[in-house]
Amino acid sequence: MSINSAMLAGVSGLVANSSALAAISDNIANVNTVGYKRTTANFSSLVTSSSKASNYSAGGLKAITHKYVRQEGNHMGTSSNLDLAISGSGFFVTTTKSENNLPTDQRLFTRAGAFVIDDLGYLRNDAGLYLQGWLADNLTGEITTDPSDLSQLDTINVSGTGGTAEATTRVAISANLSNQQPTTTFWTDGNGDGIYDPGEENYNLADANQMAEWHATGGTSGLEPDFEINIPVSDSQGSQRNITMAFMRHGDANTWVVEVYGDPSIIDDGGAPNLGKIASGTVNFNPDGTISTADETLGGLFPGAGGGNPPMINIAASDDAAATGPKWATALGIAEQNIQIDLTTAPGGLTQFSSLSEAQNISANGTPFGVLADVQIDKEGYVTAIYENGTTRRLAQVAIATFSNPDALISQNGNAYQVSRESGTYTLKAPGAGGAGEIDPSTLEASTVDLSTEFTGLITTQRAYSAASKIITTADEMLEQLLNIKR
């Protein structure tokens, strides 16, 4: 009966407009929700099989909701390094638990990038979802991406980095040795004991390598150097150590005897007594005052430097019982260390001019122990830890998931989505690669809701709802008139 169908059409109008109101309500409520995608309710008419020109039967309508997931919201700058937006296509990959995720565990995809560090060091957004990425190799720092395997992703954690230290491997010295320094003539050792004593008048060149002894004994024995350069170095555990390069001008005007040593409490040179000696030899200068490199070992100071290798001193590990040369003291428990001493290519290098003996610049790499000071994420998604000592360490790279039809993703709590048949499967990409958007750090993506549009929708939906209710009351009155015919 047409009157009944009219009433049912009115009911469908009420239901459809109720859905539209619910969608509008959700949009307005989430106008300030990060990464929220607005939803609309579109209406589709229904036609019954008995709808003919002579006897029309109303079919009514139904509401079909649609979420504009692919629509990108405006980006808002923030003060947090961990606030992330995606500039372009794609979604962050997240999990609901931070640890022990299996390949079969659910992954959710979101553009809500307000991440913080939780109490265990994991990156988590406001909805409690944990950010996934490819972790850097602990030894090499390399990151290997995989475009299809979710099991290769891990939850990004920054607390496991702890502190960091970097051992010194290179020292560059810019210094001058005065050509006005009186020379020392070395003769034969007076008593033949191979050790210079202050009372002896004669000693030979071999005995001249006793500046370490003078240093170790506080100047009571050995030879006092003409000039010293103190070199700060960091060991493998981040402790600051000091080694000394001492110079004494030889009888040859262009030759200086050199010793490198440290305090006997930190350097064991294997001798008795221990003088803390690391290396000894000579350096020669050209007539123009520049250092001579004709002998690549610099007079035996760097015996392993021949064949074009850089000048290097070696200090064996504390636990190296087989070491015959210098090693770190056993009590220190630190690793072997090779330190390149650059006397020739540093700006200025080592010279012999008429000015005073002085060190213009001592530059050493390596850093003492430093604790984590900050975490930063760049546009390529690289997560980098920054330490108080100035060193940095790359920890991971954020993964971006793209879909062929993102609008068909299934909505979940927390502005997240899961895969559906219509959305197509995911493809994992590095930010900015293969159509994936770049990371926009210190930025959040705003809701795509337009309040003016939603308030207009409220008005039209309310009127449509009232009109649908009027259909029902009118059909009811007509039925009542029909019933009154019998009376």
Side-chain angles (χ1 to χ4, degrees), residues 178 340 345 425:
S178 176
Q340 178 185 349
T345 61
T425 189

Side-chain angles (χ1 to χ4, degrees), residues 46-359:
L46 300 175
V47 178
T48 65
S49 60
S50 61
S51 295
K52 300 177 182 179
S54 60
N55 186 23
Y56 189 85
S57 180
L61 78 162
K62 65 177 180 180
I64 302 174
T65 58
H66 178 78
K67 186 174 285 289
Y68 294 93
V69 179
R70 70 173 71 240
Q71 182 179 355
E72 184 173 350
N74 293 328
H75 288 194
M76 310 175 296
T78 72
S79 59
S80 173
N81 295 332
L82 301 180
D83 283 343
L84 307 177
I86 300 174
S87 182
S89 301
F91 300 82
F92 299 112
V93 184
T94 63
T95 57
T96 56
K97 59 181 183 179
S98 60
E99 299 175 336
N100 303 318
N101 285 290
L102 301 175
T104 54
D105 289 336
Q106 184 182 42
R107 264 63 172 190
L108 297 177
F109 306 91
T110 185
R111 290 178 68 95
F115 293 100
V116 295
I117 302 174
D118 74 359
D119 55 350
L120 296 178
Y122 292 101
L123 297 185
R124 182 192 64 194
N125 72 4
D126 293 336
L129 301 177
Y130 293 92
L131 182 63
Q132 297 267 290
W134 296 287
L135 303 188
D137 184 273
N138 288 332
L139 296 178
T140 66
E142 295 182 355
I143 296 175
T144 302
T145 61
D146 191 314
S148 60
D149 190 357
L150 278 177
S151 66
Q152 297 301 313
L153 298 181
D154 286 288
T155 307
I156 298 175
N157 186 291
V158 300
S159 68
T161 61
T164 185
E166 183 178 306
T168 298
T169 59
R170 183 179 182 274
V171 175
I173 295 177
S174 296
N176 182 66
L177 301 178
S178 176
N179 68 0
Q180 304 300 309
Q181 176 67 41
T183 61
T184 301
T185 302
F186 301 110
W187 305 91
T188 304
D189 177 24
N191 58 19
D193 62 5
I195 300 176
Y196 170 72
D197 296 318
E200 296 179 0
E201 296 180 356
N202 301 320
Y203 47 93
N204 58 28
L205 180 58
D207 297 327
N209 296 328
Q210 294 177 34
M211 290 178 279
E213 181 182 350
W214 181 87
H215 176 267
T217 63
T220 61
S221 62
L223 300 175
E224 181 178 1
D226 295 328
F227 181 65
E228 291 181 315
I229 297 175
N230 292 317
I231 304 171
V233 300
S234 296
D235 64 29
S236 63
Q237 296 182 3
S239 296
Q240 284 286 86
R241 309 294 179 185
N242 191 72
I243 62 175
T244 301
M245 180 171 278
F247 301 85
M248 177 179 286
R249 200 176 188 197
H250 185 30
D252 185 334
N254 288 330
T255 300
W256 292 69
V257 176
V258 187
E259 285 189 56
V260 182
Y261 49 79
D263 193 280
S265 64
I266 64 169
I267 299 293
D268 182 358
D269 62 17
N274 174 31
L275 303 177
K277 187 185 292 186
I278 300 171
S280 63
T282 60
V283 294
N284 296 294
F285 293 92
N286 299 312
D288 64 358
T290 60
I291 192 170
S292 173
T293 57
D295 178 0
E296 291 181 342
T297 71
L298 295 183
L301 179 62
F302 307 112
N309 295 321
M312 193 87 67
I313 61 174
N314 172 266
I315 307 174
S318 296
D319 60 356
D320 188 351
T324 57
K327 72 171 189 175
W328 293 111
T330 302
L332 299 179
I334 53 182
E336 178 183 15
Q337 199 158 349
N338 292 311
I339 305 175
Q340 178 185 349
I341 306 293
D342 184 355
L343 301 175
T344 60
T345 61
L350 187 64
T351 60
Q352 181 186 255
F353 295 135
S354 60
S355 61
L356 296 175
S357 293
E358 63 176 343

Side-chain angles (χ1 to χ4, degrees), residues 161-165 368-374 385-391:
T161 61
T164 185
F369 176 82
V371 297
L372 182 67
D374 198 6
I386 301 174
Y387 299 88
E388 289 181 343
N389 58 15
T391 61

